[in-house]
Each structure stands twice: as structure tokens, then as C-alpha cells.
Amino acid sequence: MTTVAIRLPVAFASADAGEWPRPRAFPRAETLERALDVLPGVGPSVKRKLERLGLTIVGDLVNYAPRDYLRPLGETPIAHLRVEEEAAIAGVVRSASLRKARRRLTIFKAIVEDESGGVTATWFNQPWLEGKLTAGTHVRLRGVLRRGEFQVKSYDIGDAEATADFAPVYPASEEITAKRLRELVGAALPPALADPLPAALKQGEALPQRGDALWALHRPRSLAEAETGRRRLAFDELLALQVGIARRRRERESEIAPALALPGELVLRYREVLPFRLTEHQERAIAEIDVDLQSTVPMQRLLQGDVGSGKTVVALYALLRAVEVGRQGALMAPTETLAEQHFLTLEEPCRALGVSCALLTSSSPKRERDLAPHADVVVGTHALIQEGVQLRDLAVAVVDEQHRFGVEQRKALAEGRSPHVLHMTATPIPRTLALTVYGDLAVSEIAKPPANRKPIKTAWVTEERSAAAYSRLRKHLDAGRQAYVVCPLIEESETSQARAAEAEAERLRRAELRGYRVGLLHGRLRPVERRELMARFKARELDVLVATTVIEVGVDVPNATIMIVQEADRFGLAQLHQLRGRVGRGAEQSYCLLISRAREDLTDSAVARLEALVRTTDGFELAEVDLDIRGGGQLLGTRQSGLTDLHFAHLRKDRVLLERARAVADELVDTGGPLMDEVERIFEGRDLAAG
Ligand code: ADP
Ligand code: MG
């Protein structure tokens, strides 16, 4: 195997090439903080190009993770080269010439020979090679034999570097080549680095020195070595993240919330009022909540579960725990529709229990706004936390779909008071991600819906078969069931979305749904109109609800057993899963028909999304698929999550590592030192915690 020549910055050029450098002198920390033009060959123009890749200081280059490595090839004698097979050759330039083929194309050709024979090597658009690769130059080339010539992908003069086995390939740009980046990273790499991790910890976790890890990442001799390096660097990142989260948790633990002792008579009656038995998953979540509520440390718990899995039932339990000690519970939802839906759901059991329940949104009339803050249970939008609203005595707050709220809004709810907080989400995220993003939250999961439900059957049909889909839908209607038709998603304003939905509803009324009672639900309806429409649908005065994505959450009509989603390929996976959750809410078998363009016209990820939906109804499994398709950062779309700053860690691949980092972070949180400095740096100016 070829040894990889290690290129050192001039100042440190004494280490032996080919050996892992041993830490002798640590470069001063500031070295990595310096602007890139301290590196040889970086002037203002290169500096600007690097900036466009997000690289501004020396440390950025050091942390610039290769996206791949060159395959190991060994060297092939020129006479043994095979057509279209990638190979490395080494030889001497016999003659060379530069030719201008077309206006924007120059071809540099060199005849290269080794002991076995010779070949014409070609380079495109690199006219500067003319003065460089002159007769007699020893070269090493990587490329492919094509039409009798060796087309060069990378070359070295002298030692193997760009052509080396496992040479790193960096995310490059049009403006700056992978080769140049490789050189720059080489120049930026310090021979040794101070290592913030305690030695015992490194040993325990089988992690190399950080300096070695960086060298292994950028100059590996095998893929295994590169992976060992990456793993260490990923651990550092995850650890810093987790230490930051652990600190937040500590801070929060110094706040005081009302301890609620043991469940009392009111929640006992609540269980009796419910027309069903709680599932094992609901019981477990409730038990976890009960433990939290006994403490004076404010609860911060995330309740994850699919739509219809029975979270709201659990949420009301938590609210009633506050009410039974004479305090208040509040539920905050991200939209008026949702708040109203929740209110309708909670009102009935509350009434049966003699508990007052009020709705408070920005469209509530003045009188209601004045009275609502005194109710036992207050349901609302962020109007709940707006100025002038003084809740009487909040002890438990439930925040629904909390990732939709800004951090600020969530904070404001707890402002000046420290209630116990239960965050609910119907967009379950893989536990790994929950631990990373909401790492200071405890997590409860309702992984299975109530047993009386049959999993929704989902089919994916292409447009030319949409007539069959609608005749299926009409069969349901004729059997006394109800249906949803979801309009195509348009990426414009809510107004144009509403207008398009109106047109589509009109069209359907005249075509596929002629003779049926069709209602239209979109985001431009006034709250009263929406409420009225929903009430009519629920009362079976309408057969079909044509809707935009506003039905995504909060609508609960068990008699609706079939849904058609038009142009389903345009929706996100989580969104489709949410939409689908509107059916399958009763004991009847329900169906979801996803209509899309022909398979050939779809992107790979659209196909992957639709196939996943057909395959499973498990929201947690779908979340994993989504994570696969989209990666961690985008899954939540939260910029403040810090996920966008992970260079080395892969949330899926590094699950075990993340768990380790979390455990270690809990132990380390009180120590100071270099690790903490790093945490400070990573968290500088960022608000990560939920709550
Ligand atoms: P989520 O809030 O998770 O979407 P909900 O709490 O609104 O779910 O419950 C969805 C539906 O299932 C509601 O109609 C509710 O009454 C019903 N439900 C909840 N828990 C159970 C249970 N344990 N057994 C039967 N039905 C249940
Ligand atoms: Mg609900």
C-alpha cells in the first residue's frame, strides 16, 4: 500500500512524513482562530471563495469533514491498464503539449511512461500545467483509460497526495477545487492539539487523542482509521451539545414549582367519566407525569405520540392534577383551529367533572378574555401569554405541538411563574433526535393507539387511476361514512391556497362528488365559520370535507373513514402522516389514497416518502425514514437546535455515541476547564433549550 505523505505547515515541518505526529508542542489556541489568509497562497480572492463554503478561520478548515475518500487502488503498470477502470499510475513525462480545442476548452496532453509502457494522459482546462509537467517530471496519476487515453482525475508531482489511497474528498465548489481544499486543509492541520477530554474518559470510551483523530480524518491510511477519527470528533460535538443541555437542565432545576403530591379524588372521577379504559401506554405516561408533579422541580416532559394515540386524554389528566389542588391548568395550541378543537374536546369531560373550562384566543370577545384567566382550565393560543393576561394560579401548562412555537413564546408562558410543563407533539421524532434537540426534556411515548383501532390501509395510485380512487370514496359515502379530500399543496400564500381550494371544491362538486354535500375548509375562514363547518361535518350534515392542510391536526370525526390526498408527492412525510391521521379514528376500517404523478416523474425522495407511507402507519418508524431522507437538521426545521452545526456526527449512525455523550455530560456538567470553554463557544448566542 502507498504511504500517504503528510504535508505539514512550514512552521511545524519537522515531524516525520508518514508517521502519526506525536504531540510535542501544542500550537497556541489562537492559531486555529486566525483568519485564513495566514495560510500560504490564500489572498483576498481565495479567502472570499472559502468564505462562500463557510470557511473563515483556520479551525474551520481543520473541522472541514471530507465527504468521501478515494478508493485504494495500488499502482497499475501502464501496459496493464484496462478500459474504463479507475487506476493509479506512476511514471515520467516524455513530452507534453497544450491545445486550445474550443473557445472554452483547453486540453493538455502528456506522454507518460513507466517500465511497462506509455500512455497519453489528458487534462481538461488546466493550461497552467504546461510549464509544470515538462519532460522528465515524475508524476503519479489517478484516472481512467478512455478512448485510448488516460483521462486524469488527480495528479501529484513527486509524493502521492492527491492521488493517494484514501485521499480525502472535500465538499468543493465551482470556484475552489477539491485538490486545493486538500492542500489548504493540509496546511491548516496542526501537528498536535490540546485535548479537552480527561484521559480516563478517552480510555473508557476507546477514543483517540483529538489531534490524532484530526489527522486520521484528513490523512487516513484506511477507512477504519478515518472512522475512528470521525467518531472521536463526533463525540466531542455531541458531548458539547449535551453538556450545554445538561446545564440548562441544572438551571431549571433551581426553579421552584408547586409540588402536587399524590393524585386525588378529581382524577379518580375523571377515569370514571372516560368512556374507555386507558391503554398501557397512556397509563405509563400518566405514571411518569405523576412522578414529575410530586417534585418542586418544574416538570419538563415531552409527550410524543401519533395523532389519535390518545395524548389529549393524558394532557387533561395533567391539567386536572392542578385543578384538584385548587390551582389552574392551561393548554396552549399553535393555531386558533387547534385551540378550538382542544377546547371542544376538553369542555365535555370538564363539564361532567364540574370543572370550569374557557377558551382564550385573540378573537375571543373582551368579556371572555376577562373571564377566561379565572377558569380552572384555560385553553388558548399564544394569546394566553400576551400582555395583560394574568392567569390566576397556573400550576400545569400543556404546550401542544411545541416545536411550532418559538423559544421566546414558550419561555413567556413560564415567565415569572414556574409551572410544570408537558409538551405534546404528534410529530414523533426518533428518540435519538429528541435527546439531542430537546435533551433537557424527559420523554414519554405513546407508541400504540387504543386497541380498538384498525391500522389505516394506505394505497398509492397515479393520476390516471384517480377515477377509481374517487369511486372508492363514493362507496364509503353511500355506506353512510364521511370523507376528506386534501387539495394540492401550493407554496404560496394562505390566500392563494384558499382560492385554489375553492376552485377545486367547485370542480369536485360538479364532477367526482356531484350529488354529495361538500364542505370546504381552508385557512382563510374566520374562526366562527370554521367552527360551524366542523360542527356540521361532525353532525353528518356534510359528506365530504375538501380541505387544505389545516385539517392536519385537531379534527376528530370517527365516522370519516376515507381520505384522498391529491398530488401527495408534494407533501412532506410527516405532513402526510398527520393528514392521514384524520381517518382511522373510529372502529371502522379506514383508507387513505395517495394520488401522485407517474412514478417516473417523481424525485427519489418523493418515491421513498410515498412508499414508506404505504408500508407503515407507525409514526416513529416514519420519523426514522424521514430522518434518513432528510437528515437531522431539516427534520425539525429548528435553526436554534444546533444540529446545523454538527460537522462530524450523524444522528442515525451515532445513536450509541449520543447516548454515551449524554451520560458523560451529566457527570461532567459541574467541571470547568477546556471542555467547558468549548461548550461556551458552541452555545454562544444560541438558545437551544425548549422551555
Ligand atoms: P391525540 O391527542 O393523541 O391525537 P386523543 O387523545 O385526541 O389523541 O384521542 C383520539 C381519540 O381516541 C379520541 O376520540 C379519544 O376519545 C379516543 N381515545 C383516547 N384514548 C382512548 C382509549 N384508551 N381507548 C379508546 N379510545 C381512546
Ligand atoms: Mg388530540
Side-chain angles (χ1 to χ4, degrees):
M1 194 176 75
T2 340
T3 22
V4 180
I6 293 176
R7 195 184 155 121
L8 293 174
V10 203
F12 305 117
S14 59
D16 301 349
E19 291 288 299
W20 288 121
R22 291 289 127 236
R24 270 182 219 118
F26 295 127
R28 292 144 63 96
E30 307 87 84
T31 313
L32 295 178
E33 303 289 333
R34 286 163 69 184
L36 284 172
D37 44 15
V38 302
L39 298 176
V42 179
S45 129
V46 175
K47 198 175 158 193
R48 234 172 297 125
K49 290 173 185 170
L50 289 168
E51 229 163 79
R52 284 197 274 274
L53 286 172
L55 307 169
T56 55
I57 56 171
V58 175
D60 291 338
L61 271 178
V62 171
N63 288 327
Y64 201 48
R67 67 172 165 75
D68 204 358
Y69 296 92
L70 294 186
R71 289 193 300 124
L73 288 174
E75 267 169 29
T76 307
I78 288 173
H80 297 175
L81 283 176
R82 280 198 285 211
V83 174
E84 292 293 338
E85 209 166 82
E86 194 180 6
I89 59 175
V92 178
V93 175
R94 286 297 162 218
S95 64
S97 66
L98 181 70
R99 192 162 63 84
K100 238 180 148 44
R102 262 176 277 126
R103 203 158 64 83
R104 283 171 165 267
L105 178 69
T106 63
I107 303 175
F108 179 76
K109 293 191 186 225
I111 295 173
V112 176
E113 279 178 15
D114 66 7
E115 277 151 20
S116 72
V119 69
T120 301
T122 51
W123 284 259
F124 297 103
N125 286 334
Q126 299 182 48
W128 58 86
L129 292 174
E130 196 176 17
K132 227 169 151 185
L133 298 186
T134 49
T137 314
H138 284 265
V139 288
R140 195 172 190 282
L141 312 175
R142 232 179 207 265
V144 269
L145 188 65
R146 195 167 284 158
R147 284 181 236 108
E149 295 184 350
F150 193 73
Q151 292 189 2
V152 179
K153 286 187 178 159
S154 58
Y155 70 95
D156 287 304
I157 300 173
D159 288 331
E161 191 179 299
T163 61
D165 292 343
F166 309 111
V169 181
Y170 297 97
S173 68
E174 300 254 296
E175 302 180 322
I176 207 147
T177 63
K179 179 177 166 68
R180 192 70 213 280
L181 280 165
R182 198 178 296 127
E183 287 163 6
L184 288 169
V185 171
L189 266 181
L193 263 187
D195 192 328
L197 283 193
L201 173 61
K202 275 189 299 240
Q203 200 164 21
E205 307 292 329
L207 297 167
Q209 295 281 347
R210 175 184 281 185
D212 290 351
L214 280 170
W215 280 92
L217 183 84
H218 294 294
R219 297 289 181 271
R221 287 166 298 192
S222 67
L223 291 182
E225 198 171 73
E227 172 57 16
T228 305
R230 186 201 66 83
R231 190 170 162 273
R232 161 65 209 262
L233 300 167
F235 184 81
D236 288 10
E237 281 182 333
L238 296 171
L239 182 62
L241 207 56
Q242 292 300 322
V243 168
I245 287 167
R247 281 187 166 187
R248 299 272 157 92
R249 197 160 48 220
R250 282 291 160 93
E251 277 166 29
R252 208 188 59 232
E253 282 166 5
S254 64
E255 292 167 17
I256 308 284
L260 297 185
L262 294 172
E265 178 264 345
L266 181 61
V267 289
L268 261 183
R269 278 201 287 132
Y270 174 51
R271 286 171 178 281
E272 285 161 14
V273 165
L274 286 173
F276 44 72
R277 283 177 61 103
L278 296 174
T279 66
E280 180 196 332
H281 293 265
Q282 286 169 321
E283 289 291 2
R284 195 179 316 137
I286 280 175
E288 286 162 347
I289 289 166
D290 278 335
V291 170
D292 291 352
L293 294 181
Q294 279 174 45
S295 166
T296 54
V297 175
M299 169 170 77
Q300 284 290 340
R301 182 169 288 279
L302 178 67
L303 179 61
Q304 299 202 92
D306 264 335
V307 260
S309 61
K311 294 182 299 300
T312 311
V313 171
V314 172
L316 182 54
Y317 176 92
L319 297 171
L320 293 174
R321 291 288 322 270
V323 175
E324 67 183 2
V325 295
R327 290 170 173 266
Q328 227 175 350
L331 190 157
M332 184 161 83
T335 66
E336 293 206 358
T337 319
L338 260 175
E340 285 157 16
Q341 285 300 327
H342 278 308
F343 177 68
L344 291 177
T345 312
L346 301 196
E347 204 188 14
E348 208 176 286
C350 280
R351 198 179 309 122
L353 295 167
V355 168
S356 62
C357 181
L359 176 67
L360 180 62
T361 70
S362 41
S363 52
S364 306
K366 169 94 171 71
R367 211 179 59 89
E368 274 177 41
R369 290 172 71 94
D370 291 343
L371 285 177
H374 300 280
D376 297 325
V377 172
V378 190
V379 181
T381 55
H382 56 271
L384 263 187
I385 54 168
Q386 256 149 23
E387 236 174 295
V389 177
Q390 273 301 332
L391 293 182
R392 175 169 50 81
D393 190 7
L394 185 65
V396 174
V398 174
V399 183
D400 192 21
E401 295 300 326
Q402 51 89 36
H403 62 276
R404 295 190 184 189
F405 285 102
V407 172
E408 287 314 310
Q409 287 181 343
R410 274 182 264 136
K411 266 203 187 133
L413 183 63
E415 195 74 59
R417 352 163 157 117
S418 288
H420 294 286
V421 183
L422 182 69
H423 306 266
M424 285 203 294
T425 179
T427 314
I429 58 175
R431 219 185 172 86
T432 324
L433 205 55
L435 290 177
T436 312
V437 186
Y438 308 126
D440 66 337
L441 302 185
V443 179
S444 294
E445 287 172 353
I446 303 186
K448 278 215 167 59
N452 62 353
R453 300 248 176 78
K454 300 198 178 81
I456 301 160
K457 288 193 177 152
T458 302
W460 169 20
V461 297
T462 47
E463 270 159 3
E464 75 271 10
R465 295 198 48 235
S466 76
Y470 279 97
S471 74
R472 180 93 166 264
L473 183 132
R474 286 190 299 268
K475 275 211 187 96
H476 280 250
L477 301 182
D478 295 343
R481 310 263 160 256
Q482 289 163 287
Y484 299 101
V485 174
V486 180
C487 293
L489 185 69
I490 54 177
E491 309 280 347
E492 288 159 49
S493 67
E494 200 161 86
T495 311
S496 43
Q497 177 83 48
R499 217 174 292 131
E502 260 161 33
E504 180 58 15
E506 253 334 290
R507 194 192 66 76
L508 287 167
R509 279 185 188 120
R510 271 179 276 122
E512 285 94 335
L513 300 178
R514 193 168 48 204
Y516 296 95
R517 298 163 300 172
V518 177
L520 171 65
L521 181 68
H522 60 68
R524 282 276 121 185
L525 292 184
R526 279 181 292 130
V528 281
E529 294 172 322
R530 211 180 312 153
R531 214 173 316 174
E532 198 186 328
L533 185 69
M534 285 316 304
R536 284 175 60 207
F537 188 58
K538 213 165 180 159
R540 303 195 188 186
E541 290 166 23
L542 294 169
D543 301 305
V544 185
L545 208 54
V546 173
T548 61
T549 52
V550 295
I551 55 157
E552 213 179 292
V553 256
V555 174
D556 188 8
V557 179
N559 189 47
T561 52
I562 186 163
M563 166 179 286
I564 285 181
V565 184
Q566 298 178 339
E567 298 188 24
D569 52 291
R570 303 183 64 170
F571 294 86
L573 184 50
Q575 204 171 20
L576 284 171
H577 178 58
Q578 294 267 317
L579 285 168
R580 177 169 64 177
R582 298 303 106 215
V583 294
R585 299 186 68 96
E588 288 304 313
Q589 176 64 58
S590 286
Y591 298 85
C592 176
L593 308 176
L594 306 169
I595 300 184
S596 82
R597 286 168 291 156
R599 195 186 172 108
E600 309 82 74
D601 297 339
L602 301 182
T603 62
D604 288 349
S605 55
V607 170
R609 288 197 297 272
L610 297 174
E611 282 181 340
L613 282 156
V614 171
R615 191 170 61 237
T616 181
T617 53
D618 180 332
F620 287 92
E621 196 179 325
L622 289 170
E624 299 274 349
V625 174
D626 212 17
L627 183 57
D628 253 358
I629 299 175
R630 298 204 288 163
Q634 285 175 4
L635 189 58
L636 292 154
T638 41
R639 250 209 75 238
Q640 75 270 24
S641 69
L643 292 178
T644 44
D645 292 344
L646 296 179
H647 300 287
F648 307 111
H650 302 288
L651 289 173
R652 251 178 97 76
K653 196 156 114 183
D654 293 326
R655 187 160 299 212
V656 178
L657 203 62
L658 177 61
E659 300 280 352
R660 290 304 310 150
R662 185 168 157 85
V664 171
D666 281 338
E667 291 164 27
L668 281 180
V669 65
D670 291 325
T671 64
L675 183 62
M676 291 306 120
D677 296 344
E678 194 162 317
V679 172
E680 303 273 285
R681 196 171 49 68
I682 290 178
F683 281 82
E684 199 183 326
R686 187 178 302 126
D687 201 345
L688 183 115

